Amino acid sequence: LCRRACAASSLTGRCVSSVGSHQGKAQTRESVRAQEPAEKIFTDAQRQEFLDQGYLKADREFLTASQRTDVVEWAKDLRSWPETAGKWMQYFEKRDGQRMLCRVENFLQYHPGATDLVRGKVTAAISELMGEEAILYKEKINFKLPGAAGFQPHQDAPAYVSFGMKYHVTCLIAADPATAENGCLEVVPGFQSLGMLPHPDGEIAPELDAKWEAEGRWKKVLCEPGDVVFFDSYIPHRSARNRSKDMSRNIYYLTFNPVTDGDRRAGYFSTKRASFPPDIEREQGKDYSEGAKIFNVSNPIPVR
């Protein structure tokens, strides 16, 4: 069997049936939980920085040289996958009347390499920052292609409250350079301490965004391919549109919850697929704006 057809084995210990190079059928899966590292990943100072600032850019060596190469190649691979109902979930934005790939979600069970990376050091690192065992909640890769829209100022936490969950930490892995020109992540350090902020129309109030802008509080998090950044679900963040002519900004976002809140990944994607499905599964002419209130916060993805 091809490696992608066996991808679920990394999650379940089982192989899956092969139907072409991308189209393995996932079986019952186990949780993506940490494999205990031999030693601590972060220093005390780094852990304190994460607590104080709400985010932490890891050392360049967090990923090995080969892993840094892998995440770049995997992004190219994921971008090439065909739209397939009932499996990985692809979302598009509209640009000049044309569809532009914006995101792929729910792909780990079809991608053994990415699963091994997430299940290993990434989960262990998140657990260390949380101070308790972490478990994967959801995964996505955002393809911000040249000309693509940005993401409005927001916190992640409001989108999770409806699931009865209060805290998450996300691992960002850059598969491209993330620059001011192509729309890198921007954060307001330390403002996770404010707790949940109002989100009229699904984003942080424009006057608050403008105030932070005037005060110079927004900080650009520049990245090279293979760089890793951790941020919690209460830190305000945004990203500008990709103003470059030929430079994509592909970034993985791996979000975790404390294991004490349960294994929610399958339920999350099942609910999202029903309420805000990918294009290939949508009913023509149906309005998905209700589901968008939870699953499309501050995103450029159309609701119909």
Side-chain angles (χ1 to χ4, degrees), residues 90-93 100-104 141-145 148-149 151 299-301:
Q90 293 167 308
Y91 292 88
F92 298 79
E93 60 181 286
M100 178 186 292
L101 183 63
C102 176
R103 174 177 297 167
V104 178
I141 179 169
N142 283 351
F143 296 96
K144 189 185 283 188
L145 304 178
F151 294 80
N299 293 331
I301 301 165

Side-chain angles (χ1 to χ4, degrees), residues 124-161:
I126 296 275
S127 299
E128 198 171 303
L129 292 174
M130 279 187 170
E132 60 181 298
E133 186 179 358
I135 187 169
L136 184 70
Y137 180 56
K138 64 185 181 106
E139 77 280 355
K140 66 185 178 185
I141 179 169
N142 283 351
F143 296 96
K144 189 185 283 188
L145 304 178
F151 294 80
Q152 297 303 311
H154 65 284
Q155 296 170 302
D156 289 340
Y160 305 143
V161 170

Side-chain angles (χ1 to χ4, degrees), residues 152-174:
Q152 297 303 311
H154 65 284
Q155 296 170 302
D156 289 340
Y160 305 143
V161 170
S162 59
F163 292 91
M165 307 172 76
K166 295 181 179 179
Y167 184 63
H168 296 75
V169 173
T170 292
C171 173
L172 173 163
I173 303 178

